[in-house]
Amino acid sequence: MDGPMPRHHAARVEAAIASGQAARSALVASWRRSSRLHHLDPAGRGLPLRLSEAELRQARERIAPLLAAAQGAMDRLYQAVGAAGCCVLLADGEGVPVDRRGTPADDATFQSWGLWTGALWSEEHEGTNGIGTCVVEQRPLTIDRDQHFFTRNTLLSCTAVPIYDHEAAFAGVLDVSSCRADRTDAFSSLIALAASEAARRIEADLFRRAFAHARIVLTQGADGQSIGLVAVDADDLVIGATRSARAALGIVPGRALQPAPAADLLGGDIAQDHLAGGQRAVLQRALLRAGGNVSAAAKALGVSRATLHRKLKRFELKH
């Protein structure tokens, strides 16, 4: 990239920042952070910094649950995009890739670009880029070629999607990157869709693992299209909810959820529909433990014999 190209890109970045476009453009706002906040030079030539093996190992240990939950979705995403010259990266909340998928024939190329585990892709170190800018803005985005801050990254196209943990807190980034010049807008749109779906699968798996002993209830997301997950314990209390479910139910994301009656949060009719199967299972277990004795089962459940009889009749359970 010798010659006029580095100077041209750097001049374009600086002109956009100086023009005040940052107030209207998320991209220019990122360029401005890169230049003014992190004091980076768009013409800088140094390769991305790398963690040591010990530091990378520690980073992986810190997000072990996310790593475990992401394996299947990363495999499927790579199967969809790998043949087109893309690699798939899972980065932690600091913008460090901790796992990746890539075609062996392309590994040397991606490693030379720093698209490898242990590289520091935060905006602080690499300026505007898919992973680092997604960490800052926590929204799905694509940084395509000359949208990158550094001239040396302008051959890359990077699509990044945020991942949220079981408490709806930001946990990391799923990224699909390519350094092929023939990546079209239509293909980029397909990659963005595939990456978003993979991220949602990772979140769902992470949530189910975190609430492995609870019943998982599906709810409609706030947008009317996405699916939210709610965890309900044996006492019919909601003890967890995904980001989508929290948005629909008016629950603050990013913190442990205070247990609340499912009927209160989900609405009486909806809750009863979803929880009926769970209640039936509770009644069956109580009867089995009591050897079929209704009085003993009622006492164990803390309800009257008449109430238990009504529930048994409702669920058509024999005793």
Side-chain angles (χ1 to χ4, degrees):
M1 274 188 280
D2 293 330
M5 175 58 187
R7 291 193 298 274
H8 170 74
H9 178 72
R12 189 170 69 89
V13 169
E14 287 299 337
I17 294 171
S19 71
Q21 292 180 46
R24 304 185 302 277
S25 166
L27 175 64
V28 179
S30 176
W31 285 351
R32 188 178 192 281
R33 289 193 299 271
S34 304
S35 174
R36 305 297 191 260
L37 178 63
H38 303 307
H39 308 291
L40 300 176
D41 178 0
R45 291 175 176 271
L47 290 175
L49 299 175
R50 295 280 299 278
L51 297 180
S52 68
E53 288 301 319
E55 291 170 331
L56 176 57
R57 193 161 50 247
Q58 292 171 352
R60 289 171 62 88
E61 289 171 357
R62 282 194 292 271
I63 62 166
L66 174 58
L67 261 174
Q71 296 305 303
M74 287 185 70
D75 288 341
R76 289 190 292 272
L77 181 58
Y78 169 66
Q79 288 169 4
V81 303
C86 297
C87 70
V88 176
L89 301 124
L90 177 70
D92 65 12
E94 303 299 318
V96 177
V98 293
D99 199 5
R100 75 178 294 279
R101 302 286 188 276
T103 304
D106 293 331
D107 282 355
T109 300
F110 282 125
Q111 194 162 19
S112 70
W113 284 95
L115 289 169
W116 208 258
T117 53
L120 305 184
W121 279 95
S122 65
E123 275 196 349
E124 176 184 358
H125 293 95
E126 282 300 300
T128 305
N129 72 88
I131 292 173
T133 303
C134 185
V135 168
V136 174
E137 300 184 6
Q138 296 185 17
R139 64 180 179 89
L141 51 81
T142 294
I143 302 298
D144 189 37
R145 299 187 182 93
D146 63 1
Q147 293 179 334
H148 286 81
F149 180 77
F150 280 135
T151 303
R152 60 176 167 79
N153 288 334
T154 54
L155 294 182
L156 302 177
S157 293
C158 305
T159 295
V161 183
I163 299 173
Y164 298 92
D165 67 15
H166 63 287
E167 292 180 346
F170 177 70
V173 175
L174 185 65
D175 175 83
V176 178
S177 287
S178 168
C179 55
R180 289 192 180 179
D182 58 356
R183 177 164 150 168
T184 64
D185 289 343
F187 187 57
S188 294
S189 296
L190 290 175
I191 287 176
L193 180 60
S196 291
E197 290 178 347
R200 300 297 80 79
R201 284 197 297 271
I202 293 170
E203 290 175 350
D205 195 21
L206 195 60
F207 186 79
R208 292 178 189 278
R209 288 168 183 249
F211 296 102
H213 302 296
R215 299 193 301 282
I216 303 299
V217 175
L218 302 181
T219 65
Q220 192 174 61
D223 58 7
Q225 297 179 342
S226 61
I227 298 297
L229 302 181
V230 173
V232 182
D233 69 9
D235 296 322
D236 290 345
L237 296 178
V238 171
I239 56 174
T242 59
R243 186 177 180 85
S244 179
R246 289 183 184 225
L249 298 171
I251 301 172
V252 176
R255 65 181 67 169
L257 191 150
Q258 293 298 313
D264 292 353
L265 277 181
L266 302 177
D269 294 338
I270 296 175
Q272 290 305 317
D273 288 343
H274 283 302
L275 301 178
Q279 290 186 26
R280 180 186 175 90
V282 170
L283 297 176
Q284 286 178 315
R285 287 196 296 270
L287 278 174
L288 285 172
R289 288 169 182 155
N293 186 308
V294 175
S295 296
K299 184 176 181 180
L301 290 169
V303 299
S304 70
R305 192 171 186 275
T307 296
L308 181 54
H309 268 297
R310 286 197 302 274
K311 287 182 175 290
L312 294 176
K313 183 176 180 180
R314 175 191 170 195
F315 293 112
E316 298 180 347
L317 290 173
K318 296 180 180 180
H319 56 278

